[in-house]
Structure formats: C-alpha cells, structure tokens
C-alpha cells in the first residue's frame, strides 16, 4: 500500500455484501432487483484526500464518475460527498455535511451505488432531511431503495393534460385554472403570502398525496409551517423534505431532488396524482451557485454558473404526467419588488406551463391571495376549463384590465361615465373583490365558476 497521500488498492468484496433482498410486497420485482444488482460495483475503491478549501475537497479516487457519491472519513465520523468534477487526476468533491475534523490524507471510499433513498407508503406523514433520512423522531422508514437521480418521462409516452385541478381557491380556479400534471411557478417577494398560499395548495383534496420541499428554510419557520400552514390533516397525506439555511449547499440542492424523486415514486409505482411544492427554487439556484463557483465554474449572469440551466431543466422536466400518473408541481421563486427579470425567474418561466404572480401592491390593499391576475398565466386553462368557464374568465380579465388602466382616474373621482366597458368594470368591481378576496376560506370549484359566469354575464 502507498503512503497516506496515495490511493489505497482496490479490494474485492461480495456483490451481495451489505444488501439484503426482500420478497415482501412493495419491495420490487425480481427484474427490478436484478437491475439494481447490476448497478452495484463488486470492488471497494478507496482514495485519499489531497486538499480541502472552503466547501471543496480534492482527492485521488480511481473509477469515480461525475455524479457518483463517496464517503469521507473525519475525526468525528464520516461525511457523504458528491463528485462534481475533475482537476487533472484528482476528483472534486462537494460534501453533504460538516467537514470539521477532516485531515490531509484521510481515506475516501467510492460509494457502491449512486444516491438512493428508502421509499414506500410509510413515507406519508413523515418529515425527512435533505438526504431523505427521517428527522421527525418516528424511527426509520420501511420500504424499497429508490434512486434520487432519474430520467424524465419519455415525451411521447406522457399522458396529455385534460382534467382541471379543484384547488378551492377562487382566483386560481376561476382565472388561472390548473390541470393535473401542469407545472407552474409562484413568483413572489417577501411578505406577500407565498407560504400561506403554498399551505392552502398542499391542503387541496384533489390530490392523492402531497410532497413538499422546504429548501434553505429558516429553522424557526419549519415547525410553524408544518403545524400551522399544513396542519395535522395536511401532514397526514403529505411527505415533507426539509433543509435549513445552515445546511451545506449540496444538501440544499439535494433537497429538491429528493422531493422530486419521492413524487416520482408515488406517480410511477402507485399511479397516483401527486402535488409537488418546492419552496423555493431560488434557494436551490443559490445553492448551485455556491457549488459551481467553488468547483471552478465561471460566473455568468448575476454570478450564476452555466450548470444552473441544465440543473433546472432536468429537475423541472421530471414533473408532469407519465404513462400512469401525474405530478402537478408548484415551484416558488423569490423576486424583488415583483420584478420578473431575475435570472431564475426568467429561466423557469420558459420551462414551465404557467406562472402565478403575487403582488405587494395588491396585498397592501388587503386582498388575499394577492394574485396579480393580469401578470399571471395558466398556459393550459383553455384546455382544462369548459367553454362557458373560459369565456367568463376572458370577459372578467378584460374588465380587470380596463379598470386597472383607469384606476387612478376612478379613485380620484376624475372619471366621467361614458366608456361602456369601464362603466361595467366599475359596477362589477365590488363583486370581483368579494369573489377573489377569499382569504384562507375554501370555495367549491363549481360555485366559483358559477359566480364568475354571473359577473361576466355569460
């Protein structure tokens, strides 16, 4: 064996070592087990740490590939790390934990398989950390192994979106109707009710299961959201994946990937209609910026690395419909003062099937949800809404647009009646405010559409 700075020799082990196979229901077919078995390496590849600076570790690690995982040994235990690049003959690793206690020449062992988590119906009602491990004190999860990094459904095999989601939130059901399998962005600045709206969506009973990713969240707010925003009833049909703001950057990125993987499990294995909420995609992007810049990528727009575009497109394309189930996804994006020219907002708006914009100005008028209808868009509303509903929504949008264009004149009392469309908008305005200012109450979908048609007179 070489000295402490050289790689240790590869050592053969049993291909079945450390892995027990179960024939219990829900643990996969024989063919699935054989595929997993083929993916397991039959040797242990060990290397040594060469250097560590900031959040990057460089090591010698033969046979390592991009995206592979390894285990670092520190004086306090072990830390998982992900291979994100190469520098000559050395691999560049990003840790998923604290590097305190790491020494030069410390051993690095290549993982036998890529990042996997344990999944099963027992996940429902549980709270997991960013690596998919339970953090709610209720013990381990029993189930099957499931790869975190997966391919998006084949485009020609996806089911088309045709059925409306009944959120029971009037402004969404009436003006921005969503379909099962649709993916939308939620653009919002601070203090406009983003978390409250996500909590309302998560309590929607039109889904079989809800998967929530709280990425880089304030530690104080995690329990508040679970107990108040989600509630006991909401948690009983949800899986929550959490990383706090002090988590390593790669763990924050992994949080969104783990949540997406869990949603894929319920969609593809159990043929369910799943709601996936990621709060927020901006924090995922910032975490990837930390990883990319530390690994040596060049900064581009607002310092984000080139790898961000590929990460977002791969992550977002995994949601949506498959052959057997659906993932309806809502990704929150933090914007300053409602501006949509943020690089992350600009990127995702072209990838998703619509966006919901929350406005501070509307929130200050005491209207909640503070949805800016004119700046928001559901690209599939015309497909999932009935013809009378679509015509009513179009007519109401015209009324809102007309009123907003002359709001200052109307509120100053300087407008003289004579414009038929504006006169109708002024007359209908109190009814619109009453319908859309729903707070946290829920309104049946059919009742919302009937009210909308009465206002639009169609």
């Amino acid at each position: 064996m070489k000295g402490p700075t050289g790689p240790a020799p590869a050592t053969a082990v049993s291909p079945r070592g450390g892995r027990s196979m179960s024939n219990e229901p829900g643990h996969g077919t024989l063919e699935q087990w054989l595929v997993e078995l083929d993916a397991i390496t039959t040797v242990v590849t060990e290397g040594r740490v060469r250097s560590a600076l900031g959040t990057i570790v460089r090591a010698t690690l033969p046979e390592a590939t991009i995206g592979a995982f390894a285990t670092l040994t520190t004086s306090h235990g072990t830390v998982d790390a992900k291979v994100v690049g190469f520098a000559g003959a050395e691999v560049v690793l990003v840790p998923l934990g604290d590097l305190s206690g790491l020494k030069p020449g410390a051993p690095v062992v290549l993982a036998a398989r890529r990042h996997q988590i344990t999944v099963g119906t027992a996940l429902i009602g549980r709270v997991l950390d960013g690596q998919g491990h339970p953090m709610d004190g209720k013990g381990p999860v029993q189930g099957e192994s499931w790869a975190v990094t997966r391919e998006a459904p084949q485009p020609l095999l996806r089911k088309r979106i045709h059925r409306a989601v009944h959120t029971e939130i009037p402004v969404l059901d009436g003006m921005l109707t969503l379909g099962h399998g649709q993916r939308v962005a939620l653009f919002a600045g601070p203090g406009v009710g983003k978390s409250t709206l996500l909590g309302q969506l998560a309590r929607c009973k039109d889904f079989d299961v809800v998967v929530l990713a709280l990425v880089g969240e304030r530690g104080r707010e995690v329990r508040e959201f679970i107990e108040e925003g989600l509630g006991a009833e909401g948690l009983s049909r949800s899986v929550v994946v959490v990383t706090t703001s002090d988590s390593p950057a790669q763990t924050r990125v992994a949080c969104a990937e783990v949540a997406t993987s869990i949603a894929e499990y319920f969609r593809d294995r159990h043929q369910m209609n799943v709601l996936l909420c990621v709060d927020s995609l901006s924090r995922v992007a910032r975490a990837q910026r930390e990883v990319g810049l530390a690994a040596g990528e060049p900064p581009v727009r607002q310092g984000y690395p080139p790898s961000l575009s590929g990460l977002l497109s791969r992550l977002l394309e995994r949601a949506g419909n498959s052959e057997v189930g659906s993932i309806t996804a809502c990704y929150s994006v933090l914007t300053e003062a409602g501006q949509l020219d943020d690089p992350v907002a600009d990127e995702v708006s072209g990838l998703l099937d619509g966006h919901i914009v929350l406005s501070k100005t509307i929130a200050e008028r005491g209207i909640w949800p503070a949805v800016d209808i004119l700046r928001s868009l559901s690209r599939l509303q015309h497909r999932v809404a009935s013809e009378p509903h679509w015509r009513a929504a179009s007519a109401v949008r015209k009324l809102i647009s007309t009123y907003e264009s002359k709001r200052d004149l109307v509120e100053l009392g300087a407008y003289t009646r004579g414009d038929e469309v504006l006169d109708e908008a002024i007359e209908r305005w109190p009814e619109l405010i009453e319908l859309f200012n729903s707070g946290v109450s829920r309104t049946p979908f059919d009742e919302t559409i009937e009210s909308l048609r009465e206002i639009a007179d169609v």
Side-chain angles (χ1 to χ4, degrees):
M1 181 180 294
K2 295 185 179 181
T5 59
T11 307
V13 297
S14 166
R16 297 178 184 266
R19 181 71 179 179
S20 61
M21 293 192 178
S22 170
N23 292 320
E24 296 177 7
H27 283 255
T29 64
L30 176 60
E31 290 78 9
Q32 292 163 352
W33 279 115
L34 290 174
V35 169
E36 287 198 25
L37 189 61
D38 288 340
I40 301 175
T41 182
T42 57
V43 298
V44 173
T45 302
E46 182 178 306
R48 299 288 176 176
V49 171
R50 289 288 193 177
S51 65
L53 182 62
T55 58
I56 291 295
V57 175
R58 293 190 179 188
T60 56
L61 194 59
E63 306 301 325
T65 59
I66 296 290
F69 278 76
T71 301
L72 305 172
T73 301
T74 73
S75 58
H76 305 308
T78 60
V79 177
D80 290 335
K82 184 178 181 180
V83 178
V84 297
F86 301 100
E90 298 174 346
V91 298
V92 180
L93 298 156
V94 177
L96 281 76
D98 186 11
L99 287 178
S100 298
L102 183 68
K103 300 176 181 178
V108 184
V109 178
L110 187 65
R113 60 178 71 226
R114 294 188 176 232
H115 191 190
Q116 297 205 350
I117 57 175
T118 301
V119 295
T121 55
L123 279 176
I124 299 175
R126 300 299 301 270
V127 182
L128 313 176
D129 65 17
Q131 298 184 57
H133 304 141
M135 60 179 295
D136 52 10
K138 297 180 181 179
V141 174
Q142 301 298 323
E144 62 178 290
S145 290
W146 187 258
V148 170
T149 302
R150 312 185 73 84
E151 295 293 327
Q154 212 271 2
L156 296 180
L157 297 180
R158 288 182 185 264
K159 293 188 300 182
R160 295 187 64 182
I161 296 172
H162 60 83
R163 186 164 71 89
V165 174
H166 295 188
T167 67
E168 298 187 337
I169 303 171
V171 68
L172 299 188
D173 287 345
M175 301 301 297
L176 302 166
T177 317
L178 306 177
H180 279 280
Q182 187 170 350
R183 305 160 304 150
V184 296
L186 177 60
F187 296 137
V192 294
K194 168 179 60 68
S195 297
T196 307
L197 182 57
L198 285 174
Q200 266 208 288
L201 281 173
R203 294 195 298 274
C204 173
K205 296 180 180 179
D206 210 19
F207 298 100
D208 300 314
V209 66
V210 178
V211 181
L212 288 157
L214 305 180
V215 182
E217 193 60 79
R218 300 179 189 90
R220 172 186 62 82
E221 294 183 346
V222 172
R223 185 171 178 181
E224 289 180 6
F225 179 83
I226 292 174
E227 295 182 355
E228 297 177 14
L230 195 56
E233 182 182 357
L235 181 60
S236 68
R237 42 192 295 275
S238 302
V239 183
V240 183
V241 186
V242 176
T243 56
T244 51
S245 59
D246 60 341
S247 302
Q250 187 58 47
T251 305
R252 279 175 270 145
V253 174
C255 179
E257 295 175 333
V258 166
T260 301
S261 178
I262 293 171
E264 289 170 314
Y265 166 76
F266 286 109
R267 177 191 66 187
D268 299 333
R269 183 74 90 228
H270 293 281
Q271 304 179 10
M272 289 182 172
N273 293 316
V274 184
L275 173 64
L276 170 65
C277 294
V278 177
D279 184 21
S280 73
L281 212 56
S282 296
R283 297 192 187 114
V284 175
R286 291 168 188 170
Q288 180 63 20
R289 178 167 60 186
E290 290 182 44
V291 172
L293 296 182
E297 287 190 64
V300 286
R301 188 177 174 187
Q302 289 194 15
Y304 287 104
S307 61
L308 176 62
S309 178
L311 171 71
L312 291 178
S313 60
R314 288 192 301 272
L315 185 67
L316 303 186
E317 280 297 326
R318 290 166 60 183
N321 284 347
S322 67
E323 293 181 85
V324 294
S326 71
I327 297 175
T328 305
C330 182
Y331 303 93
S332 73
V333 179
L334 304 174
T335 58
E336 293 295 332
Q339 299 301 313
L340 304 186
D341 56 356
D342 174 85
V344 180
D346 189 41
E347 184 74 26
V348 302
S349 62
L351 294 172
L352 299 179
D353 309 313
H355 51 268
I356 301 166
V357 180
L358 299 187
S359 165
K360 185 177 181 180
T361 301
I362 294 175
E364 289 172 344
R365 295 175 188 151
I367 299 173
W368 195 91
V371 176
D372 189 333
I373 294 173
L374 298 181
R375 299 176 69 196
S376 302
L377 172 69
S378 170
R379 301 184 194 276
L380 295 171
Q381 183 176 18
H382 67 285
R383 184 178 300 169
V384 298
S386 66
E387 179 63 25
H389 175 187
W390 172 246
R391 286 192 286 110
S394 299
V396 167
R397 185 177 286 268
K398 181 179 179 180
L399 292 178
I400 295 172
S401 176
T402 302
Y403 185 91
E404 290 294 348
S405 68
K406 304 292 184 181
R407 173 183 283 276
D408 291 343
L409 285 176
V410 173
E411 293 184 347
L412 286 172
Y415 169 69
T416 302
R417 293 178 64 89
D419 183 324
E420 292 184 4
V421 178
L422 181 54
D423 290 344
E424 183 182 3
I426 293 172
E427 181 182 346
R428 298 293 190 182
W429 197 251
E431 298 174 62
L432 290 172
I433 297 299
E434 183 180 0
L435 176 61
F436 297 143
N437 187 20
S438 58
V440 295
S441 61
R442 310 192 76 84
T443 304
F445 183 88
D446 292 338
E447 184 178 321
T448 293
I449 306 311
E450 183 62 31
S451 299
L452 197 70
R453 293 184 62 188
E454 289 178 2
I455 294 171
D457 194 23
V458 297

